[in-house]
PDB file of all heavy atoms in Angstrom:
ATOM      1  N   ILE G 152     -19.867 -37.174  61.010  1.00 97.00           N
ATOM      2  CA  ILE G 152     -20.957 -36.593  60.214  1.00 97.00           C
ATOM      3  C   ILE G 152     -20.432 -35.877  58.967  1.00 97.00           C
ATOM      4  O   ILE G 152     -21.210 -35.363  58.162  1.00 97.00           O
ATOM      5  CB  ILE G 152     -21.815 -35.611  61.051  1.00 97.00           C
ATOM      6  CG1 ILE G 152     -20.953 -34.479  61.642  1.00 97.00           C
ATOM      7  CG2 ILE G 152     -22.555 -36.358  62.151  1.00 97.00           C
ATOM      8  CD1 ILE G 152     -21.777 -33.367  62.307  1.00 97.00           C
ATOM      9  N   GLY G 153     -19.112 -35.838  58.803  1.00 98.00           N
ATOM     10  CA  GLY G 153     -18.522 -35.171  57.647  1.00 98.00           C
ATOM     11  C   GLY G 153     -17.043 -34.959  57.880  1.00 98.00           C
ATOM     12  O   GLY G 153     -16.444 -35.633  58.738  1.00 98.00           O
ATOM     13  N   ALA G 154     -16.451 -34.054  57.107  1.00 98.00           N
ATOM     14  CA  ALA G 154     -15.039 -33.745  57.299  1.00 98.00           C
ATOM     15  C   ALA G 154     -14.776 -32.345  56.790  1.00 98.00           C
ATOM     16  O   ALA G 154     -15.548 -31.782  56.008  1.00 98.00           O
ATOM     17  CB  ALA G 154     -14.144 -34.753  56.571  1.00 98.00           C
ATOM     18  N   ILE G 155     -13.667 -31.776  57.256  1.00 98.00           N
ATOM     19  CA  ILE G 155     -13.273 -30.434  56.850  1.00 98.00           C
ATOM     20  C   ILE G 155     -11.799 -30.448  56.484  1.00 98.00           C
ATOM     21  O   ILE G 155     -10.989 -31.102  57.146  1.00 98.00           O
ATOM     22  CB  ILE G 155     -13.596 -29.421  57.979  1.00 98.00           C
ATOM     23  CG1 ILE G 155     -13.344 -27.982  57.532  1.00 98.00           C
ATOM     24  CG2 ILE G 155     -12.860 -29.735  59.258  1.00 98.00           C
ATOM     25  CD1 ILE G 155     -13.997 -26.951  58.458  1.00 98.00           C
ATOM     26  N   GLY G 156     -11.470 -29.769  55.392  1.00 98.00           N
ATOM     27  CA  GLY G 156     -10.085 -29.721  54.929  1.00 98.00           C
ATOM     28  C   GLY G 156      -9.636 -28.295  54.712  1.00 98.00           C
ATOM     29  O   GLY G 156     -10.403 -27.471  54.215  1.00 98.00           O
ATOM     30  N   SER G 157      -8.394 -28.008  55.112  1.00 98.00           N
ATOM     31  CA  SER G 157      -7.809 -26.682  54.896  1.00 98.00           C
ATOM     32  C   SER G 157      -6.497 -26.837  54.147  1.00 98.00           C
ATOM     33  O   SER G 157      -5.747 -27.786  54.377  1.00 98.00           O
ATOM     34  CB  SER G 157      -7.554 -25.995  56.240  1.00 98.00           C
ATOM     35  OG  SER G 157      -6.806 -24.803  56.060  1.00 98.00           O
ATOM     36  N   SER G 158      -6.227 -25.899  53.248  1.00 98.00           N
ATOM     37  CA  SER G 158      -4.942 -25.910  52.555  1.00 98.00           C
ATOM     38  C   SER G 158      -4.540 -24.489  52.182  1.00 98.00           C
ATOM     39  O   SER G 158      -5.373 -23.640  51.894  1.00 98.00           O
ATOM     40  CB  SER G 158      -5.008 -26.767  51.287  1.00 98.00           C
ATOM     41  OG  SER G 158      -3.709 -26.894  50.717  1.00 98.00           O
ATOM     42  N   GLY G 159      -3.230 -24.264  52.230  1.00 98.00           N
ATOM     43  CA  GLY G 159      -2.702 -22.941  51.911  1.00 98.00           C
ATOM     44  C   GLY G 159      -1.681 -22.461  52.932  1.00 98.00           C
ATOM     45  O   GLY G 159      -0.852 -21.609  52.647  1.00 98.00           O
ATOM     46  N   GLY G 160      -1.762 -23.024  54.134  1.00 97.00           N
ATOM     47  CA  GLY G 160      -0.799 -22.695  55.169  1.00 97.00           C
ATOM     48  C   GLY G 160       0.241 -23.796  55.301  1.00 97.00           C
ATOM     49  O   GLY G 160       0.342 -24.678  54.444  1.00 97.00           O
ATOM     50  N   SER G 161       1.017 -23.727  56.375  1.00 97.00           N
ATOM     51  CA  SER G 161       1.894 -24.850  56.697  1.00 97.00           C
ATOM     52  C   SER G 161       0.998 -26.012  57.116  1.00 97.00           C
ATOM     53  O   SER G 161      -0.181 -25.813  57.425  1.00 97.00           O
ATOM     54  CB  SER G 161       2.823 -24.480  57.846  1.00 97.00           C
ATOM     55  OG  SER G 161       2.076 -24.313  59.034  1.00 97.00           O
ATOM     56  N   VAL G 162       1.552 -27.218  57.155  1.00 96.00           N
ATOM     57  CA  VAL G 162       0.705 -28.341  57.566  1.00 96.00           C
ATOM     58  C   VAL G 162       0.207 -28.159  58.997  1.00 96.00           C
ATOM     59  O   VAL G 162      -0.921 -28.549  59.323  1.00 96.00           O
ATOM     60  CB  VAL G 162       1.417 -29.710  57.401  1.00 96.00           C
ATOM     61  CG1 VAL G 162       1.603 -30.014  55.916  1.00 96.00           C
ATOM     62  CG2 VAL G 162       2.728 -29.764  58.146  1.00 96.00           C
ATOM     63  N   GLU G 163       1.010 -27.537  59.840  1.00 97.00           N
ATOM     64  CA  GLU G 163       0.562 -27.292  61.215  1.00 97.00           C
ATOM     65  C   GLU G 163      -0.615 -26.305  61.226  1.00 97.00           C
ATOM     66  O   GLU G 163      -1.594 -26.490  61.947  1.00 97.00           O
ATOM     67  CB  GLU G 163       1.709 -26.732  62.075  1.00 97.00           C
ATOM     68  CG  GLU G 163       2.823 -27.720  62.362  1.00 97.00           C
ATOM     69  CD  GLU G 163       3.796 -27.852  61.188  1.00 97.00           C
ATOM     70  OE1 GLU G 163       3.713 -27.036  60.228  1.00 97.00           O
ATOM     71  OE2 GLU G 163       4.631 -28.777  61.222  1.00 97.00           O
ATOM     72  N   GLN G 164      -0.471 -25.263  60.425  1.00 98.00           N
ATOM     73  CA  GLN G 164      -1.550 -24.265  60.370  1.00 98.00           C
ATOM     74  C   GLN G 164      -2.825 -24.856  59.773  1.00 98.00           C
ATOM     75  O   GLN G 164      -3.926 -24.622  60.286  1.00 98.00           O
ATOM     76  CB  GLN G 164      -1.093 -23.058  59.550  1.00 98.00           C
ATOM     77  CG  GLN G 164      -0.031 -22.223  60.247  1.00 98.00           C
ATOM     78  CD  GLN G 164       0.608 -21.216  59.313  1.00 98.00           C
ATOM     79  OE1 GLN G 164       0.715 -21.438  58.104  1.00 98.00           O
ATOM     80  NE2 GLN G 164       1.060 -20.102  59.876  1.00 98.00           N
ATOM     81  N   ASP G 165      -2.670 -25.608  58.699  1.00 98.00           N
ATOM     82  CA  ASP G 165      -3.855 -26.206  58.069  1.00 98.00           C
ATOM     83  C   ASP G 165      -4.574 -27.139  59.035  1.00 98.00           C
ATOM     84  O   ASP G 165      -5.807 -27.168  59.090  1.00 98.00           O
ATOM     85  CB  ASP G 165      -3.464 -26.958  56.791  1.00 98.00           C
ATOM     86  CG  ASP G 165      -3.184 -26.011  55.628  1.00 98.00           C
ATOM     87  OD1 ASP G 165      -3.803 -24.927  55.584  1.00 98.00           O
ATOM     88  OD2 ASP G 165      -2.355 -26.348  54.778  1.00 98.00           O
ATOM     89  N   LYS G 166      -3.780 -27.890  59.774  1.00 98.00           N
ATOM     90  CA  LYS G 166      -4.370 -28.808  60.762  1.00 98.00           C
ATOM     91  C   LYS G 166      -5.106 -28.023  61.848  1.00 98.00           C
ATOM     92  O   LYS G 166      -6.218 -28.393  62.236  1.00 98.00           O
ATOM     93  CB  LYS G 166      -3.240 -29.662  61.371  1.00 98.00           C
ATOM     94  CG  LYS G 166      -3.683 -30.783  62.292  1.00 98.00           C
ATOM     95  CD  LYS G 166      -2.467 -31.634  62.664  1.00 98.00           C
ATOM     96  CE  LYS G 166      -2.712 -32.510  63.878  1.00 98.00           C
ATOM     97  NZ  LYS G 166      -3.709 -33.558  63.640  1.00 98.00           N
ATOM     98  N   GLU G 167      -4.486 -26.955  62.303  1.00 98.00           N
ATOM     99  CA  GLU G 167      -5.108 -26.136  63.353  1.00 98.00           C
ATOM    100  C   GLU G 167      -6.417 -25.505  62.843  1.00 98.00           C
ATOM    101  O   GLU G 167      -7.424 -25.448  63.559  1.00 98.00           O
ATOM    102  CB  GLU G 167      -4.117 -25.050  63.786  1.00 98.00           C
ATOM    103  CG  GLU G 167      -4.556 -24.269  65.005  1.00 98.00           C
ATOM    104  CD  GLU G 167      -3.502 -23.239  65.442  1.00 98.00           C
ATOM    105  OE1 GLU G 167      -2.361 -23.269  64.892  1.00 98.00           O
ATOM    106  OE2 GLU G 167      -3.829 -22.407  66.307  1.00 98.00           O
ATOM    107  N   ILE G 168      -6.382 -25.053  61.596  1.00 98.00           N
ATOM    108  CA  ILE G 168      -7.573 -24.423  61.000  1.00 98.00           C
ATOM    109  C   ILE G 168      -8.697 -25.444  60.836  1.00 98.00           C
ATOM    110  O   ILE G 168      -9.854 -25.175  61.161  1.00 98.00           O
ATOM    111  CB  ILE G 168      -7.200 -23.766  59.648  1.00 98.00           C
ATOM    112  CG1 ILE G 168      -6.290 -22.562  59.887  1.00 98.00           C
ATOM    113  CG2 ILE G 168      -8.453 -23.364  58.874  1.00 98.00           C
ATOM    114  CD1 ILE G 168      -5.577 -22.052  58.637  1.00 98.00           C
ATOM    115  N   ALA G 169      -8.354 -26.623  60.321  1.00 98.00           N
ATOM    116  CA  ALA G 169      -9.371 -27.667  60.133  1.00 98.00           C
ATOM    117  C   ALA G 169      -9.950 -28.098  61.469  1.00 98.00           C
ATOM    118  O   ALA G 169     -11.174 -28.255  61.615  1.00 98.00           O
ATOM    119  CB  ALA G 169      -8.779 -28.863  59.395  1.00 98.00           C
ATOM    120  N   GLU G 170      -9.088 -28.260  62.444  1.00 98.00           N
ATOM    121  CA  GLU G 170      -9.568 -28.730  63.751  1.00 98.00           C
ATOM    122  C   GLU G 170     -10.448 -27.703  64.449  1.00 98.00           C
ATOM    123  O   GLU G 170     -11.357 -28.067  65.210  1.00 98.00           O
ATOM    124  CB  GLU G 170      -8.377 -29.106  64.631  1.00 98.00           C
ATOM    125  CG  GLU G 170      -7.755 -30.429  64.184  1.00 98.00           C
ATOM    126  CD  GLU G 170      -6.573 -30.835  65.033  1.00 98.00           C
ATOM    127  OE1 GLU G 170      -6.096 -30.011  65.838  1.00 98.00           O
ATOM    128  OE2 GLU G 170      -6.125 -31.988  64.878  1.00 98.00           O
ATOM    129  N   ALA G 171     -10.183 -26.430  64.193  1.00 98.00           N
ATOM    130  CA  ALA G 171     -11.028 -25.398  64.802  1.00 98.00           C
ATOM    131  C   ALA G 171     -12.483 -25.585  64.372  1.00 98.00           C
ATOM    132  O   ALA G 171     -13.416 -25.395  65.160  1.00 98.00           O
ATOM    133  CB  ALA G 171     -10.527 -24.014  64.397  1.00 98.00           C
ATOM    134  N   GLY G 172     -12.676 -25.972  63.130  1.00 98.00           N
ATOM    135  CA  GLY G 172     -14.034 -26.211  62.654  1.00 98.00           C
ATOM    136  C   GLY G 172     -14.566 -27.566  63.061  1.00 98.00           C
ATOM    137  O   GLY G 172     -15.760 -27.720  63.368  1.00 98.00           O
ATOM    138  N   ALA G 173     -13.676 -28.550  63.091  1.00 97.00           N
ATOM    139  CA  ALA G 173     -14.113 -29.932  63.328  1.00 97.00           C
ATOM    140  C   ALA G 173     -14.578 -30.174  64.750  1.00 97.00           C
ATOM    141  O   ALA G 173     -15.428 -31.025  65.005  1.00 97.00           O
ATOM    142  CB  ALA G 173     -12.985 -30.902  62.978  1.00 97.00           C
ATOM    143  N   ARG G 174     -14.025 -29.403  65.696  1.00 95.00           N
ATOM    144  CA  ARG G 174     -14.284 -29.750  67.096  1.00 95.00           C
ATOM    145  C   ARG G 174     -15.520 -29.064  67.683  1.00 95.00           C
ATOM    146  O   ARG G 174     -15.859 -29.302  68.842  1.00 95.00           O
ATOM    147  CB  ARG G 174     -13.045 -29.424  67.942  1.00 95.00           C
ATOM    148  CG  ARG G 174     -12.759 -27.972  68.110  1.00 95.00           C
ATOM    149  CD  ARG G 174     -11.682 -27.710  69.182  1.00 95.00           C
ATOM    150  NE  ARG G 174     -11.155 -26.364  69.016  1.00 95.00           N
ATOM    151  CZ  ARG G 174      -9.957 -26.094  68.528  1.00 95.00           C
ATOM    152  NH1 ARG G 174      -9.150 -27.053  68.175  1.00 95.00           N
ATOM    153  NH2 ARG G 174      -9.567 -24.844  68.399  1.00 95.00           N
ATOM    154  N   ILE G 175     -16.206 -28.240  66.911  1.00 94.00           N
ATOM    155  CA  ILE G 175     -17.260 -27.434  67.544  1.00 94.00           C
ATOM    156  C   ILE G 175     -18.493 -28.239  67.960  1.00 94.00           C
ATOM    157  O   ILE G 175     -19.309 -27.764  68.741  1.00 94.00           O
ATOM    158  CB  ILE G 175     -17.700 -26.253  66.644  1.00 94.00           C
ATOM    159  CG1 ILE G 175     -18.313 -26.742  65.339  1.00 94.00           C
ATOM    160  CG2 ILE G 175     -16.562 -25.286  66.408  1.00 94.00           C
ATOM    161  CD1 ILE G 175     -18.981 -25.632  64.575  1.00 94.00           C
ATOM    162  N   PHE G 176     -18.632 -29.468  67.444  1.00 92.00           N
ATOM    163  CA  PHE G 176     -19.788 -30.277  67.866  1.00 92.00           C
ATOM    164  C   PHE G 176     -19.391 -31.360  68.865  1.00 92.00           C
ATOM    165  O   PHE G 176     -20.240 -32.081  69.368  1.00 92.00           O
ATOM    166  CB  PHE G 176     -20.448 -30.937  66.659  1.00 92.00           C
ATOM    167  CG  PHE G 176     -20.762 -29.967  65.570  1.00 92.00           C
ATOM    168  CD1 PHE G 176     -20.080 -30.028  64.358  1.00 92.00           C
ATOM    169  CD2 PHE G 176     -21.704 -28.980  65.761  1.00 92.00           C
ATOM    170  CE1 PHE G 176     -20.358 -29.131  63.349  1.00 92.00           C
ATOM    171  CE2 PHE G 176     -21.987 -28.068  64.758  1.00 92.00           C
ATOM    172  CZ  PHE G 176     -21.310 -28.139  63.548  1.00 92.00           C
TER     173      PHE G 176
END
Side-chain angles (χ1 to χ4, degrees):
Chain G
I152 57 172
I155 186 164
S157 171
S158 187
S161 67
V162 291
E163 291 80 10
Q164 290 168 330
D165 284 329
K166 187 173 163 67
E167 189 177 351
I168 291 165
E170 286 180 349
R174 70 169 163 253
I175 63 169
F176 308 112

